[in-house]
Amino acid sequence: MEKIRNFVLDYRKILIIIFHLVIFALSIVLAFALRFDFDIPQKYTEIMFTVLPMFVFAMLMSYWPFGLFGGMWRYVTVTDVEEMFKATSLGTLLFVLGNHILWHGGGLPRSVLILSWALCFGMTAAVRLTTRMFRERVRPLPSEGAKKVLIIGAGDAGAVVAKELLTGRN
């Protein structure tokens, strides 16, 4: 178990990027599948596989400048979700522009654009929020020799300190 943990920590950034690439590809494929009730006509299957690399690349290029391949998912905030919204919107815009320039639209249904945007944003946000919820709900058992702490006063700052003490692993 310790070897797996060390591997994940050593290659965390690469694994996060690969994970996002899978989400990006899955979102465009699912968008086509949903649009055609999971019975994609041959013509649209060809279009799907033609635009898939461009969609993944556009999303990759839009998520990078927003810093969405870094950070700790256990501390995801509303600001992070807003950044995902912006990055997904920018990536979809880049994809639409690239599709229009290269293939003059290429017969891509507009509903696929909307669905792929919604699925991409939804899946990336859901994974991060689920990670945070899991981390906040599953607390480690107190270690041997742990001391109880009483926080008096401090208002919002005290609440922040208490939350960090409860969720922190240090």
Side-chain angles (χ1 to χ4, degrees):
M1 192 64 158
E2 189 65 28
K3 286 184 179 184
I4 294 171
R5 179 176 160 75
N6 289 338
F7 176 81
V8 169
L9 291 175
D10 289 345
Y11 297 100
R12 183 177 186 279
K13 186 127 181 165
I14 293 168
L15 292 172
I16 287 173
I17 291 170
I18 291 169
F19 183 75
H20 278 84
L21 294 174
V22 169
I23 287 178
F24 299 156
L26 190 59
S27 64
I28 190 79
V29 170
L30 276 175
F32 272 94
L34 288 171
R35 164 62 177 86
F36 295 104
D37 294 327
F38 294 91
D39 188 21
I40 306 169
Q42 180 63 32
K43 172 187 173 188
Y44 288 102
T45 302
E46 292 170 10
I47 291 172
M48 179 181 66
F49 285 114
T50 302
V51 299
L52 188 138
M54 184 174 33
F55 182 81
V56 170
F57 182 75
M59 287 300 166
L60 181 67
M61 291 298 103
S62 67
Y63 270 57
W64 203 280
F66 285 94
L68 293 171
F69 297 125
M72 300 295 283
W73 288 4
R74 72 177 103 173
Y75 302 119
V76 71
T77 63
V78 172
T79 304
D80 296 324
V81 175
E82 289 171 350
E83 296 297 304
M84 284 180 264
F85 180 88
K86 292 175 191 174
T88 306
S89 299
L90 175 63
T92 302
L93 180 64
L94 290 173
F95 171 66
V96 168
L97 291 173
N99 187 43
H100 184 71
I101 290 169
L102 293 175
W103 296 292
H104 305 292
L108 187 67
R110 286 181 292 246
S111 57
V112 168
L113 295 173
I114 295 166
L115 286 167
S116 62
W117 175 88
L119 289 166
C120 189
F121 171 67
M123 286 191 284
T124 54
V127 168
R128 284 174 167 81
L129 292 171
T130 302
T131 302
R132 178 176 175 169
M133 286 175 18
F134 179 77
R135 290 289 198 151
E136 288 182 358
R137 302 288 187 271
V138 179
R139 295 186 178 103
L141 296 173
S143 59
E144 184 119 357
K147 296 182 180 181
K148 292 184 179 185
V149 175
L150 174 65
I151 301 170
I152 301 174
D156 290 337
V160 169
V161 169
K163 186 173 183 177
E164 182 57 32
L165 288 172
L166 286 172
T167 60
R169 300 235 182 227
N170 299 357

